[in-house]
Amino acid sequence: MPLDSVYRPNYATSTQSRRCFLRSSATLGSALALGGLPILLHGATRRLGSLPADPFNLGVASGDPTPDSVVLWTRLANEVIAEVGAANDAVEVGFEISHSPSFRNILRRGAIAAVPELGHSAHADVRGLAADTEYFYRWQVGNATSPVGRTKTAPAGSSDNQKFRFAFASCQQYEHGFYTAYQHMAKEQMDLIVHLGDYIYERSWGQNLVRHHEGPEIVSLADYRNRYITYKSDRDLQAAHASAPWIVTWDDHEVDNNYASEISEDDQTPEQLMLRRAAAYQAYYEFMPIRLPVGRQGPAMPIYRRLRFGRLMEMNILDTRQYRSDQACGDGRQPRCAEHRDSNRTLLGSAQKNWLYDSLASADSAWNVLAQQIMMASLRSVDNEGNELWPMDLWDGYPFERQELLDHLQTVATPNPVVLTGDIHSNWAADLKLDFDNEASPTIGAEFVCTSITSGGDGQDMTDYGQALLNKNPHVKFYNAQRGYVACTLTPAQWRSDYKVLPRVTEADAPISIRASYITEAGRPGVQEA
Ligand code: FE
Ligand code: CA
């Protein structure tokens, strides 16, 4: 499949930006796409010599694999760059790619400029790789060499690949526990790891904190950068990044809890929140192995995108925060109010929605995934007075757009839709019903929801909250509130989700086990216990 049909056209894949990122003869260039216009930074790139400390203490990563490319990432330690007097300079960073972790044969060498405007982060969008192939990479600056990362390109778009294994995860409040789940995930040498958001948290909350953030709630670019540095310093997280390519999307805590477009959680004005968003989104790019979306401008950063893994799976990666209408009826779990009945409210925004609907209408893979943040299956509850409560931050809070999407999936007959979800700090498996108010209505897809890596602390298998929601919502088949991740094994005939959980995250190095496995079979929508 040609690249242009894998990526949206406004996503950075042009030959021009590639040439600008890669070294050409004596000139190093770097393209910053701002407002769609590439700004070229030429020349004046410093090649460093001997360094006083390890500049790669945040690890390495790769991401957004296509059949012929992958993004390699690292970020130079700012204190090391400052110590050699290069804090304001573009710094040359080299990379090498090999088929083996020993680098006996080097397939490719290149260099990019890590610029101070992007916090000396390094992104190399390496092209011309072979499809469905494992590679190893490492970075060099001065006399320092980074740890080795493993990555893997996607199968060719037309390939009849028979098996694919990936993990998905979300929600890693640093103070709530250790990233033991990532230690286990790294050992699995997955084809792919998907992160559905809440990669950082903007503030402290909860009890029994096992380690600490610095300072109060973050708002500035410097704040967000420091917060990512804290999180990225974790060795288990680094091991997971080095073990496989990642696909990432953000949820709310990468900016502000439950923000909606330009509306903050607390009392920031829209102008304040947009400035904060610009800072948060820039830091996100700096620390993630993603291509810089063309069309980024200040607080606007379109990260929704599509990636294909042969004929087996296509993944639509969504952003349900940047474009949504404000949560109705005051947010939280509420009875319906007039605002909730307003059919003009949106979750995806019109541009993303149109792009998604087109994608779902032309989908031809065995499994068609919506990788997104918030629970899509209805999760209503009843209060002590018998009032039905709707979770206003979830898809339940946007019932018209959810119905439109479910109707669309049915109308265009998207093969085997699977929704992947994070955000809620608990494991769930659910049938997606065409009409959640009618138990007899057809099931049209499956939803798998991953628990948190750490958020909420140790957790437990069952809670009163979980049991009440299972009782009230018969389309929901499974709940668990321990910490961990979901490992998925796909074949053309079956999707299997293994819910892997830890007994505790408040002590390091706990063992992991499979709490439950749910499958969905091709052509038979809905989830079943394996
Ligand atoms: Fe979270
Ligand atoms: Ca969240």
Side-chain angles (χ1 to χ4, degrees):
M1 160 161 284
L3 263 181
D4 283 347
S5 53
V6 175
Y7 282 100
R8 291 174 299 118
N10 68 340
Y11 207 61
T13 56
S14 74
T15 325
Q16 186 192 13
S17 61
R18 172 185 57 170
R19 287 210 186 102
C20 293
F21 264 107
L22 297 178
R23 187 183 180 118
S24 59
S25 65
T27 310
L28 264 178
S30 175
L32 301 184
L34 293 167
L37 298 172
I39 298 171
L40 305 182
L41 303 175
H42 280 298
T45 301
R46 269 187 67 178
R47 186 176 288 183
L48 303 181
S50 177
L51 298 174
D54 178 17
F56 296 111
N57 61 2
L58 299 181
V60 300
S62 68
D64 280 8
T66 72
D68 77 340
S69 73
V70 68
V71 177
L72 307 182
W73 174 93
T74 192
R75 192 177 191 276
L76 304 179
N78 293 154
E79 62 278 10
V80 177
I81 298 306
E83 210 173 318
V84 295
N88 296 317
D89 299 333
V91 171
E92 180 178 328
V93 190
F95 61 86
E96 292 177 334
I97 295 173
S98 176
H99 282 309
S100 72
S102 69
F103 287 80
R104 191 171 301 118
N105 295 306
I106 291 170
L107 297 170
R108 186 82 73 82
R109 275 198 180 89
I112 55 96
V115 300
E117 292 82 353
L118 294 173
H120 290 106
S121 58
H123 296 77
D125 183 5
V126 180
R127 303 300 180 88
L129 301 176
D132 204 11
T133 301
E134 183 180 73
Y135 291 99
F136 297 87
Y137 61 93
R138 63 188 179 193
W139 295 92
Q140 278 141 350
V141 64
N143 62 339
T145 300
S146 77
V148 173
R150 169 190 175 268
T151 192
K152 200 171 176 190
T153 49
S158 58
S159 126
D160 278 316
N161 46 324
Q162 297 295 303
K163 194 173 177 189
F164 192 80
R165 288 196 76 233
F166 76 98
F168 70 100
S170 69
C171 294
Q172 51 196 46
Q173 220 287 3
Y174 181 83
E175 302 174 301
H176 288 188
F178 296 103
Y179 291 164
T180 318
Y182 282 132
Q183 210 181 87
H184 296 288
M185 198 191 289
K187 289 187 190 127
E188 297 208 47
Q189 301 277 293
M190 290 288 185
D191 294 322
L192 177 72
I193 292 170
V194 177
H195 197 286
L196 299 175
D198 290 356
Y199 189 100
I200 59 160
Y201 279 75
E202 82 285 14
R203 64 181 172 89
S204 298
W205 53 278
Q207 294 160 347
N208 306 322
L209 306 183
V210 300
R211 47 189 183 174
H212 293 278
H213 290 157
E214 286 187 26
E217 184 161 335
I218 55 176
V219 292
S220 72
L221 177 56
D223 293 341
Y224 284 104
R225 282 172 167 168
N226 286 333
R227 184 57 46 90
Y228 280 101
I229 287 168
T230 299
Y231 280 57
K232 284 272 193 184
S233 65
D234 184 279
R235 296 292 164 170
D236 291 335
L237 177 59
Q238 290 182 13
H241 272 296
S243 75
W246 284 41
I247 291 176
V248 298
T249 183
W250 54 43
D251 193 21
D252 51 338
H253 289 285
E254 282 85 354
V255 181
D256 180 30
N257 181 46
N258 283 14
Y259 80 100
S261 299
E262 77 285 4
I263 312 291
S264 69
E265 181 189 28
D266 303 316
D267 50 5
Q268 285 192 305
T269 65
E271 185 176 16
Q272 285 177 302
L273 199 269
M274 291 301 254
L275 289 165
R276 184 178 181 184
R277 234 175 71 172
Y281 287 2
Q282 170 159 348
Y284 188 80
Y285 170 70
E286 289 179 8
F287 285 88
M288 293 296 149
I290 56 175
R291 297 176 181 88
L292 184 62
V294 173
R296 178 180 89 125
Q297 191 161 42
M301 186 157 144
I303 64 161
Y304 57 89
R305 59 202 189 276
R306 180 166 65 245
L307 290 154
R308 185 180 170 97
F309 296 86
R311 298 166 69 97
L312 194 52
M313 174 175 73
E314 192 160 82
M315 191 174 274
N316 297 281
I317 298 105
L318 307 185
D319 172 359
T320 60
R321 295 291 171 186
Q322 189 174 182
Y323 311 107
R324 70 157 75 189
S325 305
D326 196 14
Q327 288 88 350
C329 319
D331 205 352
R333 286 190 164 268
Q334 308 289 348
R336 298 192 80 181
C337 66
E339 188 184 6
H340 189 253
R341 295 191 180 88
D342 176 359
S343 60
N344 291 318
R345 296 174 64 254
T346 183
L347 186 60
L348 298 171
S350 59
Q352 178 175 211
K353 192 170 79 175
N354 293 336
W355 163 84
L356 176 63
Y357 285 9
D358 285 350
S359 174
L360 296 172
S362 60
D364 64 352
S365 295
W367 302 100
N368 290 283
V369 177
L370 280 68
Q372 51 97 59
Q373 296 77 19
I374 52 172
M375 192 135 169
M376 187 175 287
S378 189
L379 208 55
R380 283 173 254 170
S381 52
V382 180
D383 70 10
N384 293 335
E385 281 81 57
N387 301 308
E388 190 165 59
L389 304 180
W390 297 61
M392 293 296 172
D393 186 54
L394 311 186
W395 279 89
D396 264 328
Y398 302 81
F400 292 94
E401 193 157 296
R402 177 173 62 189
Q403 194 59 56
E404 188 186 55
L405 172 58
L406 295 169
D407 289 344
H408 181 74
L409 285 167
Q410 168 91 338
T411 304
V412 303
T414 305
N416 302 310
V418 174
V419 172
L420 302 182
T421 302
D423 171 62
I424 197 169
H425 307 173
S426 37
N427 286 309
W428 305 81
D431 289 347
L432 290 175
K433 306 293 283 184
L434 188 59
D435 177 359
F436 284 106
D437 284 313
N438 175 9
E439 249 188 86
S441 88
T443 296
I444 61 160
E447 180 170 18
F448 300 107
V449 183
C450 68
T451 188
S452 62
I453 292 287
T454 53
S455 302
D458 288 339
Q460 53 193 307
D461 184 50
M462 184 52 70
T463 62
D464 292 345
Y465 162 84
Q467 191 59 59
L469 287 168
L470 283 175
N471 296 345
K472 160 81 174 143
N473 297 281
H475 50 272
V476 179
K477 308 300 182 190
F478 172 63
Y479 167 84
N480 160 276
Q482 291 172 289
R483 306 285 83 89
Y485 62 93
V486 181
C488 302
T489 305
L490 280 62
T491 67
Q494 190 193 78
W495 175 303
R496 180 187 179 98
S497 292
D498 293 325
Y499 291 83
K500 299 202 168 186
V501 300
L502 299 155
R504 71 198 79 85
V505 292
T506 51
E507 289 167 41
D509 303 330
I512 200 156
S513 60
I514 297 177
R515 166 63 185 81
S517 297
Y518 278 77
I519 60 163
T520 180
E521 290 173 0
R524 190 178 163 202
V527 299
Q528 313 161 48
E529 189 165 10

